Amino acid sequence: MSKQAPLLVVNDLGHMFSNRGQKVHVFEKCSFEIAPTQFVAVQGASGSGKTTLLLACGGMLAPSSGEIRFQGNDLFTLPSSRRTKIRAVSIGYLFQTLELVPYLDLTANVRIATGVSSSVANQWLDRLGLGDRCRSYPRELSHGQRQRVALARAIAHEPALVIADEPTGNLDSRNSELVFNVLKKYAQDGGSVLMATHEAQPAAFADFVINIENLDLLKAKVR
Amino acid sequence: MNPFFLALRELHYRWKSGLVFVLIVASVTGTLAYFSVNDASFQKEIGRNVRDLGSNVVILPAAVDQYSYHLEGGYSEITMDADLVSKLIEYRASLNHLIPMLERRAMCSTGDRQSIGRVVGLSASIAMPDRPKAPMQRSIPAGELQLGSELARELGVERDAKAQVTIAGEVFKVQRVNRSSGTWQDSAAFIDLVSAQKIFELPERVSRIEAIECTSEQCEASGLQSSVILNNEIEKITDKASFLRKEEMAEARLSVRSVSRENFLVLQNVLWVFLGFTVLGLAILNSLSRKSEIGVLQAVGYGRYRIAALFLVRSLLLAGMGAAVGVTVGMLVSVEQANDLFVMTGQKSSLDWSAAMTIGGVAFLLAVLGGCMPALWAAGENPADLIGRDS
């Protein structure tokens, strides 16, 4: 079986920021690859840099060092307009803070993803158990429901890579399972998933797990 | 999803903040529009009042000795060619409301009473072709006469009484007895210029030409004094005339005009600045308070120009509505109030479309800047730097 070209290559990635004159290293020398159809989990304690890593992989935060190649392109040497186009077509991002647009109903919130029609948006909402709430506004939903809308928005345009930042953080077990199943099915159908999680046993559903607090170990395991 | 649709959805959802935007812009543009119309009306009113102060320039035959002229109370029997009026007009001298006059002291009689009066023949005021104004002095019909109050008392002519006065064998019907002015005019009789030239046998001759100077723009442009400008002009036109400037009246006229103009300019400039701050401020505030949303739109693939278009549509719609309402209401209120505020010229007050276009245009431009610039700036940032960073 021939090895598929990786979708995402993260090479020696590091990120730091200044806090009151002190340099704070969020993570250093992070390297891994994600191939099409892979489901990858990022694990680590709060504040360990999971969100920062995911934002960088989504082309939304320039890392301090290292490179991120997506579909062969070094994301942060591209002009921002090219990165925007890549995000529009090939990356779906579910923010930890969800970031739904408050003045759009659920269908429209999903439709702001590129090229998504109303019927496709409604199909995804239906699949995520929100079929009867399409005309509702985010403020009318529980946090768990909003989380599912955010997932629908991240996935509806069928991107090559879905990045989900703790998509089950506030969900009950039934809805968590629903979300995992949707993401797993998405990966099986040809997409890739990179997901930050607090789950105790991410290996149960992920092809591999990145423990952001022990990146040396990760390198040894993945390469 | 196109930015116009998104902007409409956002306005529908946040209609209260949109309404506040519209009302604030309407208040400022309305006040500006009010003062624009009001300013134009005010200038007209001031102009009319200043004009009614009377002439401030007298053009005399060059041969007149000014010492004797003043000693006689502003009277001389020396005359000059009446065609100087045509020359002044042809040259477009910096004058307006020219009134050629011919005067003589002559016996005036009403049958049983007679008295020497200063008989003045004058024409209606003549406006310069490029400076048309309502006449300052209307013509006196041939065969009629206006009597100064003191001369009327000497001749025993009552106000509103029908009477005739004979001058140099010519009979004139008294058109009216003027109210006392406290000047030499109280002992004068006014008839039309042609009649005066006929009874005094001085055809095509005038004693003087009275006028109002129109030199303020040239004074500002050249830095020269009004008297210098007029002197230069008259020297170029003829060597048979000289001019007198009634300094105090001229200065008072200039001062009233400039003070009123400057006052309005200050007020208008303050309002323009306020309009700028308001529209720019509101639009910028809107963009900054929606940084997260800009970040999300970037994350899902909206480019900076699509994002800027979203804010642009919003600002333009709101600023457009605000300006339309403000300018319309401001102008209508101003025109409505003009009759009460400006007794002489209030009826001539009208909507100022040029001011409306200017105010609307500036509000529009500010909305473009205020809506686009911060959105373009924010859209150049990384999405992660914007999300959760609403100001």
Side-chain angles (χ1 to χ4, degrees), chain B residues 36-352:
Chain B
S36 291
V37 174
N38 198 272
D39 179 30
S41 306
F42 184 78
Q43 296 306 326
K44 270 187 207 161
E45 187 79 358
I46 285 288
R48 175 64 71 87
N49 280 304
V50 164
R51 194 202 71 183
D52 289 350
L53 287 173
S55 307
N56 63 358
V57 170
V58 181
I59 298 169
L60 293 167
V64 169
D65 169 40
Q66 293 205 3
Y67 172 76
S68 307
Y69 176 78
H70 292 305
L71 198 64
E72 290 290 314
Y75 176 80
S76 166
E77 297 215 335
I78 299 173
T79 60
M80 59 188 172
D81 271 343
D83 74 349
L84 179 58
V85 174
S86 313
K87 287 180 181 169
L88 289 167
I89 290 171
E90 195 180 324
Y91 185 85
R92 298 288 191 275
S94 305
L95 297 166
N96 206 0
H97 299 294
L98 285 79
I99 307 172
M101 297 177 174
L102 175 67
E103 65 179 339
R104 281 288 181 275
R105 284 177 180 149
M107 187 61 72
C108 305
S109 59
T110 52
D112 56 335
R113 297 176 77 162
Q114 59 179 27
S115 185
I116 294 281
R118 195 164 155 174
V119 178
V120 182
L122 44 76
S123 80
S125 59
I126 301 162
M128 279 285 168
D130 52 350
R131 290 192 277 270
K133 291 273 171 73
M136 188 172 89
Q137 167 71 49
R138 297 193 183 280
S139 61
I140 299 170
E144 294 189 9
L145 158 150
Q146 293 174 4
L147 273 179
S149 57
E150 288 303 311
L151 181 58
R153 193 176 55 77
E154 286 288 314
L155 295 174
V157 177
E158 301 283 331
R159 282 184 71 85
D160 304 324
K162 287 182 180 171
Q164 290 186 330
V165 174
T166 305
I167 305 168
E170 197 80 25
V171 178
F172 294 90
K173 191 175 101 186
V174 176
Q175 186 194 44
R176 72 170 190 227
V177 174
N178 294 333
R179 288 182 189 283
S180 170
S181 68
T183 66
W184 62 267
Q185 294 180 8
D186 291 346
S187 52
F190 298 93
I191 59 177
D192 78 292
L193 180 61
V194 176
S195 299
Q197 288 169 334
K198 187 176 150 199
I199 62 173
F200 298 131
E201 295 174 349
L202 289 166
E204 302 300 321
R205 302 295 291 175
V206 292
S207 307
R208 64 175 184 272
I209 300 164
E210 294 200 352
I212 290 179
E213 66 183 9
C214 296
T215 51
S216 56
E217 283 173 15
Q218 288 186 64
C219 288
E220 272 178 33
S222 65
L224 294 172
Q225 290 190 331
S226 182
S227 54
V228 176
I229 292 168
L230 287 175
N231 208 26
N232 290 344
E233 286 183 356
I234 288 172
E235 274 180 1
K236 283 178 191 163
I237 296 167
T238 179
D239 58 356
K240 295 192 170 80
S242 60
F243 84 97
L244 275 177
R245 187 167 179 263
K246 297 176 186 172
E247 294 288 340
E248 283 181 2
M249 189 184 288
E251 294 308 323
R253 186 189 297 279
L254 282 175
S255 171
V256 166
R257 277 185 184 259
S258 69
V259 167
S260 62
R261 182 80 205 127
E262 279 163 19
N263 261 332
F264 264 92
L265 267 179
V266 168
L267 189 60
Q268 273 194 322
N269 288 341
V270 168
L271 286 169
W272 278 115
V273 171
F274 195 53
L275 175 68
F277 274 115
T278 306
V279 178
L280 274 178
L282 287 172
I284 289 171
L285 212 63
N286 178 256
S287 300
L288 293 180
S289 67
R290 291 167 65 190
K291 273 194 203 167
S292 267
E293 190 186 322
I294 293 174
V296 171
L297 291 173
Q298 280 185 304
V300 298
Y302 276 59
R304 59 162 60 188
Y305 295 111
R306 273 179 87 192
I307 292 172
L310 165 66
F311 286 85
L312 179 65
V313 167
R314 182 188 204 272
S315 298
L316 285 182
L317 280 174
L318 296 182
M321 278 194 279
V325 171
V327 167
T328 308
V329 172
M331 286 201 173
L332 289 176
V333 170
S334 190
V335 169
E336 182 62 30
Q337 283 188 348
N339 276 340
D340 297 330
L341 289 173
F342 308 111
V343 178
M344 314 266 283
T345 58
Q347 284 177 334
K348 290 180 183 169
S349 180
S350 59
L351 298 179
D352 184 347

Side-chain angles (χ1 to χ4, degrees), chain A residues 55 59-62 76 80 83-85 87-88 91 93 95 97-99 101-105 107-109 111-114 135 137 139 153, chain B residues 1 5-7 9-14 290 292-293 295-304 306 310 379-385 387-388:
Chain A
L55 285 169
M60 290 191 269
L61 176 73
F76 289 96
S80 68
R83 261 199 318 279
T84 303
K85 277 183 188 158
R87 278 198 303 269
I91 298 174
Y93 201 102
F95 292 94
T97 47
L98 308 182
E99 303 296 343
V101 181
Y103 53 83
L104 297 178
D105 62 25
T107 305
N109 254 293
R111 279 194 61 208
I112 62 168
T114 306
R135 311 309 301 171
Y137 285 84
R139 68 172 187 278
R153 185 178 68 191
Chain B
M1 199 175 286
F5 174 79
L6 275 181
R9 288 276 190 115
E10 193 268 335
L11 281 176
H12 180 255
Y13 182 79
R14 297 192 182 118
R290 291 167 65 190
S292 267
E293 190 186 322
V296 171
L297 291 173
Q298 280 185 304
V300 298
Y302 276 59
R304 59 162 60 188
R306 273 179 87 192
L310 165 66
E381 297 284 300
N382 280 316
D385 295 328
I387 287 169

